[in-house]
Amino acid sequence: MITVPFTPTMKVVEAKPINNRSENILGHWKDGLCDCCKFGCFHPHLWNAWCFPVVLMGQVLTRMKMNWLGDAALEETEWRSTFRKTLYVAIGYFVLRTAFYVPPATVQFVNGHYEEIFPDVPIWKIIIHKVLILTFAIYVLTVLTKLRRAARAKYSIPEERCLGCEDLCCSLWCTPCTAAQLARQTADYEVQHAQCCTSTGFEPDPSVSAV
């Protein structure tokens, strides 16, 4: 009798991310700039866009494999840290703005007419407060403009209005809507479950073991 040794093997299969069907949509946007409620009024991407647009911008930057400055990442470690860095920028801004908060001027009725009363705040604090707001606004505007331009290049989407500065105009005047549209363009929310606070805005993919 001939005996042949047999050792059972186990194959571990790692689950693959759901294919993004938006990769096949070239030449046009998947939906309009104002279609923010396309997936309902309680969708995570909508709430991020309106409450924390920088967070959503960081998620889309990560999907596009770009760094926190809106440039193409040269290494994987660079784009994998993008979300964390944009989150640090947002947190740092709000902390500093709170520390250097300047109350707004009030209008009061004095001696028969209305006067604008300014708070008694040191001039240096007012300057720092305004510089913080301006710096953060320039950062968001610059990075979101570069991100939208990169998305148009990836999906071969031509400019339709404000030729030559459409990305800048959308990022400046419609910041939440622009971030939300970019999120929908780079995801398939019909099959991919959205999350508010993950680096890509998706649920983490579980691993699957098959014997």
Side-chain angles (χ1 to χ4, degrees):
M1 181 178 63
I2 300 176
T3 303
V4 179
F6 173 74
T7 303
T9 59
M10 176 182 293
K11 182 180 181 182
V12 179
V13 181
E14 184 177 350
K16 301 293 184 182
I18 299 174
N19 291 328
N20 189 352
R21 292 181 293 180
S22 63
E23 294 287 349
N24 299 322
I25 299 178
L26 300 176
H28 61 88
W29 295 101
K30 293 171 63 176
D31 46 40
L33 186 64
C34 298
D35 291 335
C36 299
C37 296
K38 178 178 179 180
F39 297 99
C41 296
F42 298 99
H43 197 270
H45 99 284
L46 174 62
W47 282 93
N48 265 353
W50 287 105
C51 300
F52 308 102
V54 177
V55 172
L56 186 60
M57 183 179 74
Q59 292 172 339
V60 179
L61 284 169
T62 302
R63 298 176 195 174
M64 294 285 290
K65 297 185 178 181
M66 302 172 70
N67 62 26
W68 68 285
L69 296 175
D71 299 317
L74 301 178
E75 299 178 357
E76 181 177 349
T77 55
E78 190 176 5
W79 64 262
R80 285 192 178 278
S81 64
T82 294
F83 176 75
R84 184 174 66 252
K85 290 179 180 179
T86 54
L87 188 61
Y88 289 163
V89 169
I91 294 174
Y93 166 71
F94 286 111
V95 169
L96 290 175
R97 186 175 176 181
T98 301
F100 295 99
Y101 175 72
V102 175
T106 59
V107 177
Q108 298 180 8
F109 190 76
V110 180
N111 298 327
H113 62 278
Y114 288 98
E115 292 184 2
E116 192 173 19
I117 308 299
F118 292 91
D120 186 15
V121 178
I123 186 63
W124 62 266
K125 191 173 184 179
I126 296 176
I127 293 175
I128 293 177
H129 178 75
K130 292 186 179 297
V131 168
L132 282 172
I133 295 177
L134 180 61
T135 303
F136 185 71
I138 291 176
Y139 167 74
V140 175
L141 177 61
T142 302
V143 175
L144 191 59
T145 299
K146 294 164 73 173
L147 176 58
R148 191 177 191 275
R149 185 183 300 121
R152 285 198 306 102
K154 179 177 181 178
Y155 296 100
S156 303
I157 303 174
E159 290 182 309
E160 298 177 355
R161 300 177 180 84
C162 304
L163 300 183
C165 60
E166 180 182 281
D167 301 316
L168 175 62
C169 290
C170 289
S171 301
L172 176 62
W173 303 112
C174 308
T175 303
C177 292
T178 298
Q181 186 183 40
L182 289 170
R184 296 190 302 274
Q185 186 70 24
T186 56
D188 189 352
Y189 287 130
E190 294 181 357
V191 295
Q192 290 172 301
H193 297 287
Q195 290 286 330
C196 287
C197 302
T198 60
S199 61
T200 59
F202 304 135
E203 286 185 350
D205 294 307
S207 60
V208 178
S209 297
V211 178

